[in-house]
Amino acid sequence: MKISDKLREAVEASPLKKREIAERAGITQVALSKYISGVVQPKQENLTKIAKALGMDVSAFWTEESEMAQMMEELREWKERAKQAEDQLEKLKKVIPLISEANSILSKII
């Protein structure tokens, strides 16, 4: 998720109006709107001021918790699939010699 998206969510979740947030952060309402729309990337200093105005930690804008959690879940799924594939491969290694032996016997009979 982009910083602008996170910023938009935080502003929408706040009981404060955009004007109040901008005033508390010491920025213009126009600048805040540009940050929210993604037209302009806020400087770290301004992002910190906005976070403080919203009563939140600035790291919330940088942390990709949901994406990281999703990636970890996908990694667990891939590991499980790899384990299942290894198990199937081990079974096939046991069956292939039996098939080969059966083919050898059948070729003598036919």
Side-chain angles (χ1 to χ4, degrees), residues 91-103:
K91 289 176 185 176
L92 285 173
K93 285 180 181 178
K94 293 175 183 174
V95 171
I96 290 174
L98 296 174
I99 293 171
S100 184
E101 184 180 337
N103 282 337

Side-chain angles (χ1 to χ4, degrees), residues 2 10 18 30 33-34 53 82 84:
K2 297 178 186 176
K18 289 181 186 176
V30 171
S33 293
K34 287 182 179 182
Q84 290 172 355

Side-chain angles (χ1 to χ4, degrees), residues 3-106:
I3 290 175
S4 60
D5 295 333
K6 288 184 174 189
L7 186 56
R8 183 182 317 103
E9 285 181 5
V11 168
E12 289 174 356
S14 174
L16 301 173
K17 297 184 184 304
K18 289 181 186 176
R19 177 186 49 76
E20 294 170 305
I21 296 168
E23 285 176 2
R24 288 182 181 198
I27 61 172
T28 66
Q29 190 172 346
V30 171
L32 180 60
S33 293
K34 287 182 179 182
Y35 300 156
I36 291 170
S37 66
V39 172
V40 176
Q41 180 76 20
K43 293 180 183 177
Q44 178 64 38
E45 177 184 337
N46 287 340
L47 196 58
T48 301
K49 289 178 181 180
I50 295 167
K52 186 175 179 182
L54 291 167
M56 56 191 291
D57 193 305
V58 71
S59 65
F61 294 115
W62 298 109
T63 306
E64 298 291 341
E65 292 176 25
S66 61
E67 288 181 31
M68 184 62 76
Q70 182 180 356
M71 288 170 40
M72 294 302 290
E73 180 60 30
E74 288 176 9
L75 180 59
R76 281 190 284 278
E77 288 174 10
W78 279 106
K79 284 183 177 180
E80 180 61 31
R81 289 179 190 165
K83 175 72 173 120
Q84 290 172 355
E86 287 175 0
D87 292 345
Q88 289 176 347
L89 181 59
E90 288 303 315
K91 289 176 185 176
L92 285 173
K93 285 180 181 178
K94 293 175 183 174
V95 171
I96 290 174
L98 296 174
I99 293 171
S100 184
E101 184 180 337
N103 282 337
S104 177
I105 293 170
L106 284 173

